[in-house]
Amino acid sequence: MPDDRVTRPALTTDEVRAFIERAPRCKVRIHVLYQPPGVNDTVDTQLVDLSRSGMFLASRGQLLDVGVTVEFQFSLDEGLVVMKGTAEVVRVSLERERGMGLRFVDLDADSRKLVDRIVDANSRDPAPVPVEVEADARHALPGGRAVEYGHGTVRITLSAATAAYFTYNPLMHVGIGGCFIPAEADVPLGTGYQLDIVDTNGRLVIRCKGRVVAKQERRIGVRLVDIDRDSLLKLRAEIAKLGPAAAAAP
């Protein structure tokens, strides 16, 4: 690891308060890997919330000292690192959720752009895909269910309403083989499903395995983990048929 990853002087109380209160901020759960100074192994933890200036990480293990700088990466799946950079611990918390608040020290251009897009997409009022979309889809679809959960299975009926699940969220979308869908209950990261995507007549479009790699409020980000390129292109084409807005993945 770089030699410059050392303990720095702590921020003042006013600086920490400004960091915590800086808006906008969004709640989102994904795996984050970081490497403490002087340690060869990385620590796997979860992002709790994200802002343009930094993030809060849950921590069941040792909390780092304020001022420590670490390298980190956001991992949505094995081999799928969506952003990485350097961040400094500016506060530790033992209340509510045990963890650490970190301020971004260095992000490359792509990572900075992704942070901005995630925060923008999830702090709009109204939200880009409000809960009412699910209700509208239920009335429009045969059987009345846009997303159906079974024992280890998820069935998504693809329509003009549900196509937004595959395009609206810059963190997980059809462009990288995934979607954000409504969840009926809290679902742990790493949960696996058999995923069936069907058209409004019930015909199978895609069947594959899916893994929960992100969580946000009442939605889960599902990564299509065993889909081949031709099938993914077929899915993108089906979404594109539903209109220009649906075709434009982030």
Side-chain angles (χ1 to χ4, degrees):
M1 302 300 292
D3 294 334
D4 61 350
R5 190 185 56 191
V6 296
T7 300
R8 300 182 180 181
L11 298 185
T12 68
T13 301
D14 288 342
E15 288 173 328
V16 172
R17 183 179 296 111
F19 166 78
I20 295 172
E21 294 177 352
R22 187 171 300 173
R25 181 179 296 269
C26 68
K27 297 285 186 180
V28 60
R29 293 270 183 173
I30 62 174
H31 282 295
V32 177
L33 300 175
Y34 71 86
Q35 189 165 5
V39 178
N40 292 328
D41 295 330
T42 57
V43 176
D44 186 347
T45 186
Q46 286 187 22
L47 178 68
V48 176
D49 64 45
L50 178 71
S51 73
R52 288 186 173 88
S53 59
M55 58 186 173
F56 186 85
L57 301 180
S59 179
R60 295 181 179 177
Q62 181 180 358
L63 295 171
L64 301 178
D65 293 333
V66 170
V68 170
T69 302
V70 300
E71 291 188 353
F72 71 89
Q73 62 184 35
F74 287 11
S75 177
L76 289 178
D77 203 359
E78 184 176 350
L80 181 59
V81 175
V82 294
M83 66 171 282
K84 57 185 177 179
T86 306
E88 176 187 2
V89 179
V90 296
R91 68 183 180 98
V92 295
S93 175
L94 300 176
E95 301 176 357
R96 295 184 180 179
E97 183 147 26
R98 188 176 187 274
M100 304 175 292
L102 294 93
R103 175 178 61 87
F104 294 136
V105 174
D106 182 50
L107 294 175
D108 61 31
D110 288 342
S111 295
R112 169 56 62 191
K113 183 178 179 181
L114 180 61
V115 168
D116 290 343
R117 289 170 64 189
I118 293 171
V119 174
D120 284 342
N122 296 287
S123 60
R124 296 179 203 158
D125 188 15
V129 182
V131 175
E132 287 75 13
V133 166
E134 173 71 5
D136 291 344
R138 289 183 182 184
H139 292 298
L141 298 174
R145 297 287 291 179
V147 179
E148 296 179 274
Y149 288 84
H151 183 66
T153 65
V154 177
R155 175 185 170 103
I156 304 172
T157 300
L158 193 59
S159 68
T162 61
Y165 299 156
F166 294 85
T167 60
Y168 87 96
N169 198 304
L171 190 59
M172 178 53 62
H173 52 83
V174 71
I176 56 175
C179 58
F180 252 89
I181 59 176
E184 298 177 332
D186 183 54
V187 181
L189 293 178
T191 300
Y193 291 108
Q194 175 184 296
L195 181 64
D196 285 351
I197 303 173
V198 302
D199 64 19
T200 53
N201 293 314
R203 292 188 294 261
L204 187 67
V205 177
I206 295 293
R207 171 172 286 170
C208 65
K209 293 179 181 178
R211 182 180 298 119
V212 178
V213 298
K215 300 196 299 181
Q216 191 166 25
E217 296 178 346
R218 290 183 291 168
R219 295 181 183 274
I220 55 175
V222 179
R223 168 83 165 157
L224 313 183
V225 296
D226 68 343
I227 188 169
D228 58 62
R229 178 174 174 78
D230 288 343
S231 296
L232 184 57
L233 290 175
K234 177 183 177 182
L235 177 59
R236 291 177 183 173
E238 291 298 319
I239 292 171
K241 293 176 184 178
L242 298 170

